[in-house]
Structure formats: structure tokens, C-alpha cells
Amino acid sequence: MTPPLPELTTRMRDIFGLVVEAYLERGQPIGSKALTGAVNLSPASIRSVLAELEERGLLTHPHTSAGRLPTETGLRLFVDGIMQSHLPSVEERAAIERQVRDRPLEEALANATAALSGLSACAGVVVAPKIERRLRQLAFVPLGPGQALAVVVGEDGSVENRMVALPPGLTAAALAEIANFVTARLAGLTLAEAEGRLRQEIRERREALDAAAAELVATGLAEWREDGPQRPVLIVRGQANLLDEAAALDLERVRKLLDELEDRQEIVRLLEGAREGEGCRIFIGSENRMFALSGSSVIAAPYRGAEGKVVGVVGVIGPTRLNYARIVPMVDYTAQALTRLMG
């Protein structure tokens, strides 16, 4: 359990804050000698304070180093009680606004996520409102007798793969023909509109389409339309930012984080926890089950629609060694920008 701030003396708070700030800046342990120029204490007194902070569970030290690092408990104490946040600069606010203002919603969400990723040097994430996708392309990959993989590409760049059972006698040529028809004639339509148009073509036989193939696709469009809104859309940008110089010192942690980022549904469930409340939620390391293995942090904030209801969440995912004081207000500002867009 995190000790309350009043239990820490002024001397302990000062030294603890210096250790955390040095860790967030450089990602390395800091020892008593490095602190002597920052506080008016002897190295022996500093070592005594560091030992006390370690006993309280706020600091730890690697076996190979005499320096100290903050624990996850220590980081939580720093973020909640000591950290002084810095508002985004004029340039940072302008960079976010440029990517959001006067743009279609899907483009604005993707752009805002990319901008937040670039400014924070983390992976940017956003849970988009449940909106009906529009088709861009349909393709089929035959997998063997009676089975194929349907590949549906949305206008927002989303890709969904589904296994489909083929009726007897349906040929690969017929599948290719109906896929080409959907891509050429139904692109830009919602799934509901595409299904309706295709069924009309089946009824009127204005196109020389294979009836079985056309019915297979029309049924598939209906199913995708019905269950699509049940799956929130997650946009992730900037995973490459996680591969910085510091990552070379901890490649196993980064590999685990990249693996975790592949589990889109689990990320959505985690981010949904930020829907409650007005501002940012911060999950540090093992505080969230999903990123416990990689020891990563998540900073996320909700954004709202025209009626003031929360419709999505935006945030960043990165190592626990984040510049929380800078990134927390940046995530909050991005959420506010998206709220203005939706309003």
C-alpha cells in the first residue's frame, strides 16, 4: 500500500522526487554521489534517506548497481502527490489541433492518435465510437474444398478476415467475380447499403452474377453489419516509438509489450476503464493485468459526443519511464480536442 505523503519528511520527499525525476529522464539508477550536488546533505545522510525510502517500498535497486530506481508504488505516489504537470506548449496544442480540425471523424481520430504518438514518443491509441463502417474492398482466398477466407477492407483502413463455408459447386471464379463486383460497384456504401443493393441485383438479375456466390456475400454482409457495432474500433499508431535507445537495454520487456499490443480486444477492455471520470486515468505497470508482464504504463482520457456522453477513449502506452508531467496534460488536451470535434 502506498504510504501517505504526510508520513514522508521534507528531506525524504525532496530526495525521492530527485530520484524519480532522474529515472524518468534517463531511465537509469541514481546513487548518493549523483545527488550530493542537488541537496545540502552528506553522501552518508543521502544513503540513509535512500535506505529508508527503500524500506518503505518506494525505491529499489538492481543487484548490479548501488543506485536506486522508483518502484511502481513509488511512481504512483509521485504521480498522485508530487508531480507538477506542465500544460502542452503552444506548438504541441497547434500540432494536435491541425490533425483534428475540419476533418472527417475517422481521419481525425487516426491523425490525432498519430500526433499524440509522435509528441509523446509512445504508442498512441484511440477507441473510436461505434460507427457503421463503409466498404472499400472485398476479396476471397480459397482455402480448400468448401472453405474460403473473406477479407473485408473498410474505408477507414480496417481489415477483417472471416472464415466462410462455401456451398457445394461454388467455384473460385464465381467468388472472384462477386468480390470484383462488390469492390467496383458497392465501395463507399455502408454494410447495410451494400447488402440492400446486392439483394436488389439478385432479385432483378441485372448483373450476370452467380446466384449462390451473391447470396453468400449478401448473408455475410448482414452478419457483419449486425455484430460489427458490438466490437469497438481500436486505432494504434507509433509502435516503432517504443524501440528507442533505452529499449536496447531491455529488449525482452519491449518484445513483451509489442506482443501485448497485438491483443486489440484486451486493450479496448483496458481503455474502457478510463470512461469513468472527467480527466486522465493512469495505469502503472502491474496495476493493469494486461501490461503486467512488460511493466508498461497507460495514460488515457475519455472524449465526448454532441450530447456530452462519453463515446471513446484516447491515450498512450509506453514504458513506466514516461514524462508523466508532460504527457498527462497532452492526452487530456487531445481528448478535449476530439470532444470539440464531436460537439
Side-chain angles (χ1 to χ4, degrees):
M1 182 175 179
T2 306
L5 278 175
E7 290 187 4
L8 300 182
T9 65
T10 301
R11 175 185 296 183
M12 293 170 68
R13 287 185 61 173
D14 290 344
I15 291 178
F16 173 67
L18 290 171
V19 172
V20 176
E21 288 170 358
Y23 167 71
L24 297 181
E25 180 181 350
R26 299 192 294 271
Q28 300 295 319
I30 185 169
S32 56
K33 290 184 179 179
L35 293 170
T36 53
V39 292
N40 188 25
L41 293 172
S42 67
S45 296
I46 294 174
R47 285 195 294 272
S48 175
V49 173
L50 291 173
E52 175 66 18
L53 290 169
E54 188 169 351
E55 284 184 14
R56 295 185 179 220
L58 300 179
L59 299 180
T60 186
H61 66 276
H63 296 298
T64 57
S65 171
R68 260 71 170 193
L69 296 171
T71 62
E72 290 180 2
T73 299
L75 284 175
R76 171 54 64 187
L77 176 65
F78 177 81
V79 167
D80 289 346
I82 298 177
M83 178 182 77
Q84 299 294 317
S85 296
H86 308 293
L87 293 176
S89 67
V90 173
E91 293 77 13
E92 290 168 341
R93 295 198 298 270
I96 294 169
E97 292 287 354
R98 278 196 304 271
Q99 300 301 326
V100 173
R101 190 185 300 120
D102 300 326
R103 295 179 184 272
L105 176 59
E106 293 174 8
E107 181 182 347
L109 291 172
N111 287 356
T113 310
L116 188 56
S117 169
L119 292 169
S120 66
C122 298
V125 292
V126 64
V127 179
K130 296 179 176 70
I131 54 179
E132 190 167 7
R133 289 181 301 167
R134 293 183 178 272
L135 277 172
R136 176 187 294 174
Q137 184 179 2
L138 173 67
F140 287 97
V141 180
L143 299 177
Q147 204 170 44
L149 181 71
V151 182
V152 184
V153 182
E155 277 196 338
D156 59 355
S158 60
V159 179
E160 182 175 351
N161 300 323
R162 289 214 178 186
M163 299 288 293
V164 293
L166 305 179
L170 185 59
T171 66
L175 278 179
E177 181 184 3
I178 190 63
N180 290 337
F181 172 81
V182 169
T183 299
R185 299 285 297 276
L186 307 183
L189 302 181
T190 66
L191 297 182
E193 292 168 342
E195 180 204 355
R197 185 78 58 83
L198 183 54
R199 292 198 182 279
Q200 182 180 358
E201 295 289 349
I202 294 173
R203 288 193 303 269
E204 299 181 1
R205 294 286 181 161
R206 292 189 302 188
E207 296 289 335
L209 296 174
D210 183 283
E215 181 58 37
L216 173 73
V217 172
T219 301
L221 291 172
E223 293 175 354
W224 297 327
R225 172 175 54 83
E226 289 173 2
D227 66 9
Q230 305 304 318
R231 299 189 309 278
V233 176
L234 178 73
I235 301 172
V236 181
R237 294 289 187 271
Q239 293 99 315
N241 288 333
L242 302 172
L243 301 173
D244 58 7
E245 293 181 7
L249 302 175
D250 199 358
L251 289 177
E252 180 61 19
R253 184 197 66 78
V254 175
R255 185 191 65 77
K256 289 177 180 176
L257 174 55
L258 292 175
D259 287 344
E260 290 161 345
L261 286 173
E262 291 299 313
D263 193 340
R264 299 296 179 98
Q265 291 300 101
E266 279 296 321
I267 296 175
V268 168
R269 277 191 279 272
L270 170 62
L271 295 178
E272 290 290 303
R275 283 179 169 264
E276 300 177 3
E278 294 296 323
C280 281
R281 291 283 304 275
I282 305 170
F283 305 92
I284 299 174
S286 59
E287 289 178 355
N288 67 83
R289 180 182 61 81
M290 179 176 183
F291 293 108
L293 289 177
S294 64
S296 303
S297 286
V298 180
I299 302 172
Y303 61 94
R304 301 174 183 274
E307 299 178 355
K309 181 181 178 181
V310 172
V311 295
V313 178
V314 65
V316 299
I317 299 172
T320 54
R321 187 181 62 83
L322 293 177
N323 187 339
Y324 295 93
R326 174 173 171 265
I327 296 176
V328 168
M330 192 181 297
V331 169
D332 194 46
Y333 185 84
T334 304
Q336 294 173 26
L338 292 175
T339 296
R340 289 192 291 272
L341 172 72
M342 303 283 292

